[in-house]
Amino acid sequence: DKEDEVVQSRIFSDDEEEELHEDEMLKPATYLPDQRVFAKDGEGVYEATVLRVALRPSKKNPKQTHEWNYYVHYLGWNSRWDKWLVESDLLGDTPEARALAEVERQKVKEAEKERKAKKEEKERIKLERKIKRQQALAAKKEAAEKAKEEALAQMTFSKKTYLQD
C-alpha cells in the first residue's frame, strides 16, 4: 500500500514546479522533512515528524490538480504506522496544537481506563458465575451423597427388621 503511494508521487523539475505555482497558485510546502508536527489520525492528534514531502495529484481539492503530501512518523509508534497525509491533516508545533494533543491523549487514557474497568467487571461476573456453578454442583453432590446414605441406612434398617421377624 505504501509502495503504491510512493509510485504515484512525482518529483517535478524546478520549471514544472514553478509552472504549477503559477498555474494553480500553489503555495510552497508548509512543512519540511525533519520538522515536528501534530498529525490528525482518526479522532486523535499525535506528535509526529515529517519524513518526506511530495507534490501529488489532489484527491480532496477539485480546484487544484496537485497538493503537498507529507509522509510522517508518529513519535513513539512503530514505523509501520508511518503514512502519507495531506496538509489539512497536520498542525504546526504550536502551544495550541500541543494542548489539543494533550487533551486527546487524556481522552485515550480515559477510554483505556473505561475499557479496562469493563473488562474487569466482565471477569468478576464470570468468576461469580463459575463459583455459583461450583457451589450448585457441590450441593448436588452433597445431596446425592446424603440420599445414598439415607438409602443405605433404610436398607440396613429393613434388613435388620427382616432378620428379626
Side-chain angles (χ1 to χ4, degrees), residues 74-129:
Y74 294 98
L75 298 180
W77 292 51
N78 188 302
S79 62
R80 70 180 164 186
W81 295 101
D82 295 358
K83 66 180 180 179
W84 285 100
L85 296 173
V86 294
E87 194 165 307
S88 61
D89 290 334
L90 299 177
L91 301 169
D93 188 0
T94 63
E96 294 82 10
R98 285 187 175 278
L100 180 60
E102 184 57 34
V103 167
E104 294 298 328
R105 200 174 4 260
Q106 291 302 322
K107 283 182 186 177
V108 168
K109 272 186 178 179
E110 288 300 316
E112 182 61 26
K113 276 184 186 177
E114 204 172 292
R115 187 194 63 75
K116 188 177 179 182
K118 283 181 182 180
K119 184 178 179 182
E120 288 172 354
E121 178 67 11
K122 275 185 175 182
E123 289 298 318
R124 186 189 62 75
I125 291 169
K126 189 176 174 182
L127 184 59
E128 283 178 359
R129 287 178 180 163

Side-chain angles (χ1 to χ4, degrees), residues 129-146:
R129 287 178 180 163
K130 183 178 180 180
I131 290 169
K132 284 181 182 179
R133 282 194 305 271
Q134 289 174 340
Q135 288 172 339
L137 184 60
K140 278 185 181 180
K141 283 183 179 180
E142 189 178 317
E145 193 63 38
K146 189 174 181 180

